[in-house]
Tab-separated table of all heavy atoms in Angstrom:
chain	number	residue	atom	x	y	z
A	1	LEU	N	0.829	-1.191	0.000
A	1	LEU	CA	0.000	0.000	0.000
A	1	LEU	C	0.869	1.249	0.000
A	1	LEU	O	1.956	1.258	0.595
A	1	LEU	CB	-0.910	0.027	1.223
A	1	LEU	CG	-1.797	-1.198	1.463
A	1	LEU	CD1	-2.670	-0.971	2.694
A	1	LEU	CD2	-2.635	-1.515	0.252
A	2	SER	N	0.368	2.284	-0.656
A	2	SER	CA	1.049	3.573	-0.668
A	2	SER	C	0.079	4.652	-0.224
A	2	SER	O	-1.131	4.548	-0.445
A	2	SER	CB	1.549	3.900	-2.076
A	2	SER	OG	2.443	2.933	-2.544
A	3	CYS	N	0.616	5.671	0.394
A	3	CYS	CA	-0.198	6.815	0.803
A	3	CYS	C	0.619	8.079	0.587
A	3	CYS	O	1.696	8.233	1.173
A	3	CYS	CB	-0.599	6.691	2.261
A	3	CYS	SG	-1.388	8.175	2.929
A	4	ALA	N	0.108	8.950	-0.251
A	4	ALA	CA	0.795	10.200	-0.547
A	4	ALA	C	0.018	11.361	0.059
A	4	ALA	O	-1.198	11.464	-0.125
A	4	ALA	CB	0.918	10.381	-2.054
A	5	ALA	N	0.729	12.212	0.754
A	5	ALA	CA	0.125	13.404	1.353
A	5	ALA	C	0.401	14.609	0.460
A	5	ALA	O	1.494	14.753	-0.086
A	5	ALA	CB	0.686	13.640	2.740
A	6	SER	N	-0.602	15.455	0.328
A	6	SER	CA	-0.439	16.677	-0.457
A	6	SER	C	-1.242	17.798	0.194
A	6	SER	O	-2.072	17.566	1.058
A	6	SER	CB	-0.905	16.461	-1.896
A	6	SER	OG	-2.284	16.145	-1.935
A	7	GLY	N	-0.948	19.002	-0.246
A	7	GLY	CA	-1.668	20.152	0.308
A	7	GLY	C	-0.748	21.014	1.145
A	7	GLY	O	0.440	21.142	0.869
A	8	SER	N	-1.300	21.588	2.181
A	8	SER	CA	-0.547	22.508	3.048
A	8	SER	C	0.231	21.710	4.093
A	8	SER	O	-0.152	21.619	5.252
A	8	SER	CB	-1.503	23.490	3.717
A	8	SER	OG	-2.226	24.223	2.753
A	9	ILE	N	1.342	21.169	3.649
A	9	ILE	CA	2.139	20.296	4.514
A	9	ILE	C	3.290	21.072	5.098
A	9	ILE	O	4.065	21.695	4.375
A	9	ILE	CB	2.661	19.091	3.713
A	9	ILE	CG1	1.491	18.248	3.211
A	9	ILE	CG2	3.587	18.240	4.581
A	9	ILE	CD1	1.907	17.187	2.232
A	10	PHE	N	3.420	21.034	6.421
A	10	PHE	CA	4.540	21.697	7.083
A	10	PHE	C	5.512	20.664	7.639
A	10	PHE	O	6.665	20.596	7.243
A	10	PHE	CB	4.033	22.618	8.184
A	10	PHE	CG	3.203	23.746	7.676
A	10	PHE	CD1	1.821	23.704	7.721
A	10	PHE	CD2	3.808	24.852	7.115
A	10	PHE	CE1	1.055	24.745	7.226
A	10	PHE	CE2	3.059	25.901	6.618
A	10	PHE	CZ	1.677	25.837	6.675
A	11	SER	N	5.052	19.869	8.540
A	11	SER	CA	5.914	18.845	9.118
A	11	SER	C	5.030	17.712	9.619
A	11	SER	O	4.341	17.860	10.630
A	11	SER	CB	6.750	19.421	10.258
A	11	SER	OG	7.526	18.399	10.865
A	12	ILE	N	5.059	16.622	8.905
A	12	ILE	CA	4.257	15.471	9.322
A	12	ILE	C	5.075	14.644	10.307
A	12	ILE	O	6.090	14.065	9.948
A	12	ILE	CB	3.840	14.622	8.116
A	12	ILE	CG1	3.014	15.455	7.139
A	12	ILE	CG2	3.046	13.410	8.586
A	12	ILE	CD1	2.585	14.701	5.895
A	13	VAL	N	4.608	14.616	11.536
A	13	VAL	CA	5.359	13.940	12.592
A	13	VAL	C	5.219	12.425	12.474
A	13	VAL	O	6.186	11.683	12.593
A	13	VAL	CB	4.864	14.409	13.970
A	13	VAL	CG1	5.588	13.658	15.086
A	13	VAL	CG2	5.070	15.913	14.125
A	14	ILE	N	3.992	11.992	12.240
A	14	ILE	CA	3.721	10.554	12.182
A	14	ILE	C	2.899	10.258	10.927
A	14	ILE	O	1.973	10.984	10.596
A	14	ILE	CB	2.928	10.080	13.414
A	14	ILE	CG1	3.739	10.287	14.692
A	14	ILE	CG2	2.525	8.612	13.285
A	14	ILE	CD1	2.959	10.022	15.963
A	15	MET	N	3.265	9.205	10.247
A	15	MET	CA	2.426	8.655	9.181
A	15	MET	C	2.243	7.177	9.472
A	15	MET	O	3.190	6.502	9.901
A	15	MET	CB	3.046	8.853	7.798
A	15	MET	CG	3.110	10.292	7.347
A	15	MET	SD	3.540	10.480	5.603
A	15	MET	CE	1.956	10.156	4.821
A	16	GLY	N	1.050	6.705	9.257
A	16	GLY	CA	0.815	5.312	9.578
A	16	GLY	C	-0.432	4.765	8.947
A	16	GLY	O	-1.047	5.407	8.077
A	17	TRP	N	-0.795	3.572	9.395
A	17	TRP	CA	-1.925	2.849	8.831
A	17	TRP	C	-2.810	2.287	9.933
A	17	TRP	O	-2.310	1.798	10.954
A	17	TRP	CB	-1.422	1.701	7.954
A	17	TRP	CG	-0.656	2.162	6.760
A	17	TRP	CD1	0.684	2.383	6.678
A	17	TRP	CD2	-1.206	2.471	5.473
A	17	TRP	NE1	1.010	2.816	5.416
A	17	TRP	CE2	-0.127	2.872	4.658
A	17	TRP	CE3	-2.485	2.444	4.918
A	17	TRP	CZ2	-0.301	3.245	3.320
A	17	TRP	CZ3	-2.656	2.812	3.595
A	17	TRP	CH2	-1.572	3.205	2.824
A	18	TYR	N	-4.084	2.348	9.677
A	18	TYR	CA	-5.094	1.705	10.505
A	18	TYR	C	-5.956	0.858	9.581
A	18	TYR	O	-5.910	1.026	8.354
A	18	TYR	CB	-5.963	2.751	11.212
A	18	TYR	CG	-5.261	3.473	12.327
A	18	TYR	CD1	-4.242	4.387	12.074
A	18	TYR	CD2	-5.618	3.252	13.658
A	18	TYR	CE1	-3.592	5.045	13.105
A	18	TYR	CE2	-4.980	3.915	14.700
A	18	TYR	CZ	-3.971	4.806	14.410
A	18	TYR	OH	-3.334	5.461	15.443
A	19	ARG	N	-6.747	-0.018	10.166
A	19	ARG	CA	-7.653	-0.820	9.347
A	19	ARG	C	-8.962	-1.053	10.079
A	19	ARG	O	-9.016	-1.024	11.300
A	19	ARG	CB	-7.014	-2.151	8.957
A	19	ARG	CG	-6.770	-3.107	10.116
A	19	ARG	CD	-5.994	-4.326	9.632
A	19	ARG	NE	-5.767	-5.286	10.719
A	19	ARG	CZ	-5.017	-6.366	10.601
A	19	ARG	NH1	-4.387	-6.631	9.450
A	19	ARG	NH2	-4.883	-7.193	11.621
A	20	GLN	N	-9.991	-1.304	9.276
A	20	GLN	CA	-11.301	-1.571	9.846
A	20	GLN	C	-11.953	-2.704	9.076
A	20	GLN	O	-12.228	-2.579	7.872
A	20	GLN	CB	-12.190	-0.326	9.807
A	20	GLN	CG	-13.502	-0.497	10.539
A	20	GLN	CD	-14.220	0.820	10.766
A	20	GLN	OE1	-13.922	1.824	10.123
A	20	GLN	NE2	-15.151	0.834	11.709
A	21	ALA	N	-12.178	-3.796	9.780
A	21	ALA	CA	-12.857	-4.949	9.200
A	21	ALA	C	-14.363	-4.790	9.391
A	21	ALA	O	-14.810	-4.070	10.295
A	21	ALA	CB	-12.365	-6.231	9.860
A	22	PRO	N	-15.156	-5.465	8.578
A	22	PRO	CA	-16.615	-5.356	8.710
A	22	PRO	C	-17.083	-5.715	10.115
A	22	PRO	O	-16.685	-6.743	10.674
A	22	PRO	CB	-17.130	-6.375	7.685
A	22	PRO	CG	-16.049	-6.479	6.675
A	22	PRO	CD	-14.772	-6.314	7.442
A	23	GLY	N	-17.878	-4.848	10.700
A	23	GLY	CA	-18.433	-5.091	12.021
A	23	GLY	C	-17.477	-4.867	13.177
A	23	GLY	O	-17.807	-5.158	14.324
A	24	LYS	N	-16.279	-4.364	12.871
A	24	LYS	CA	-15.279	-4.138	13.915
A	24	LYS	C	-14.862	-2.679	13.944
A	24	LYS	O	-15.066	-1.937	12.987
A	24	LYS	CB	-14.060	-5.028	13.695
A	24	LYS	CG	-14.342	-6.510	13.827
A	24	LYS	CD	-13.063	-7.322	13.778
A	24	LYS	CE	-13.335	-8.799	13.996
A	24	LYS	NZ	-12.074	-9.592	13.976
A	25	GLN	N	-14.230	-2.300	15.056
A	25	GLN	CA	-13.735	-0.939	15.177
A	25	GLN	C	-12.422	-0.785	14.422
A	25	GLN	O	-11.693	-1.763	14.183
A	25	GLN	CB	-13.523	-0.597	16.656
A	25	GLN	CG	-14.818	-0.461	17.452
A	25	GLN	CD	-14.580	0.086	18.844
A	25	GLN	OE1	-13.494	-0.074	19.406
A	25	GLN	NE2	-15.574	0.754	19.398
A	26	ARG	N	-12.128	0.438	14.060
A	26	ARG	CA	-10.855	0.725	13.407
A	26	ARG	C	-9.727	0.427	14.390
A	26	ARG	O	-9.802	0.777	15.570
A	26	ARG	CB	-10.806	2.186	12.970
A	26	ARG	CG	-9.646	2.516	12.062
A	26	ARG	CD	-9.747	3.951	11.542
A	26	ARG	NE	-10.936	4.151	10.709
A	26	ARG	CZ	-11.139	5.248	9.999
A	26	ARG	NH1	-10.243	6.241	10.012
A	26	ARG	NH2	-12.236	5.371	9.291
A	27	GLU	N	-8.675	-0.222	13.890
A	27	GLU	CA	-7.557	-0.577	14.754
A	27	GLU	C	-6.226	-0.141	14.154
A	27	GLU	O	-6.064	-0.053	12.933
A	27	GLU	CB	-7.533	-2.095	15.010
A	27	GLU	CG	-7.288	-2.938	13.772
A	27	GLU	CD	-7.181	-4.423	14.081
A	27	GLU	OE1	-7.419	-4.832	15.236
A	27	GLU	OE2	-6.847	-5.191	13.157
A	28	PHE	N	-5.287	0.083	15.022
A	28	PHE	CA	-3.932	0.481	14.625
A	28	PHE	C	-3.225	-0.679	13.949
A	28	PHE	O	-3.340	-1.834	14.372
A	28	PHE	CB	-3.162	0.923	15.871
A	28	PHE	CG	-1.682	1.042	15.675
A	28	PHE	CD1	-1.148	2.108	14.969
A	28	PHE	CD2	-0.819	0.076	16.180
A	28	PHE	CE1	0.219	2.217	14.782
A	28	PHE	CE2	0.537	0.173	16.005
A	28	PHE	CZ	1.067	1.250	15.306
A	29	VAL	N	-2.458	-0.362	12.896
A	29	VAL	CA	-1.663	-1.373	12.203
A	29	VAL	C	-0.167	-1.084	12.345
A	29	VAL	O	0.597	-1.911	12.824
A	29	VAL	CB	-2.024	-1.453	10.712
A	29	VAL	CG1	-1.125	-2.445	9.981
A	29	VAL	CG2	-3.491	-1.823	10.534
A	30	ALA	N	0.247	0.117	11.923
A	30	ALA	CA	1.674	0.442	11.939
A	30	ALA	C	1.844	1.942	11.813
A	30	ALA	O	0.974	2.641	11.291
A	30	ALA	CB	2.404	-0.267	10.795
A	31	LEU	N	2.997	2.430	12.292
A	31	LEU	CA	3.313	3.839	12.137
A	31	LEU	C	4.807	4.043	11.950
A	31	LEU	O	5.624	3.190	12.318
A	31	LEU	CB	2.802	4.657	13.326
A	31	LEU	CG	3.429	4.437	14.704
A	31	LEU	CD1	4.750	5.196	14.868
A	31	LEU	CD2	2.459	4.926	15.780
A	32	SER	N	5.119	5.196	11.387
A	32	SER	CA	6.516	5.598	11.213
A	32	SER	C	6.621	7.068	11.578
A	32	SER	O	5.830	7.886	11.099
A	32	SER	CB	6.948	5.383	9.759
A	32	SER	OG	8.232	5.907	9.544
């Protein structure tokens, strides 16, 4: 997976991923 940020970007401290399966709450996957 890829995620590109654009717009008014100054300093992104954390970028990461979460996921949400059907019928479940969104959960943390990974961060950098």
Side-chain angles (χ1 to χ4, degrees):
L1 306 182
S2 300
C3 171
S6 62
S8 302
I9 297 170
F10 296 100
S11 177
I12 300 179
V13 177
I14 297 172
M15 292 191 80
W17 296 90
Y18 288 70
R19 67 186 181 186
Q20 187 167 17
K24 295 187 176 181
Q25 290 189 334
R26 191 174 297 190
E27 64 176 7
F28 166 75
V29 176
L31 67 81
S32 173

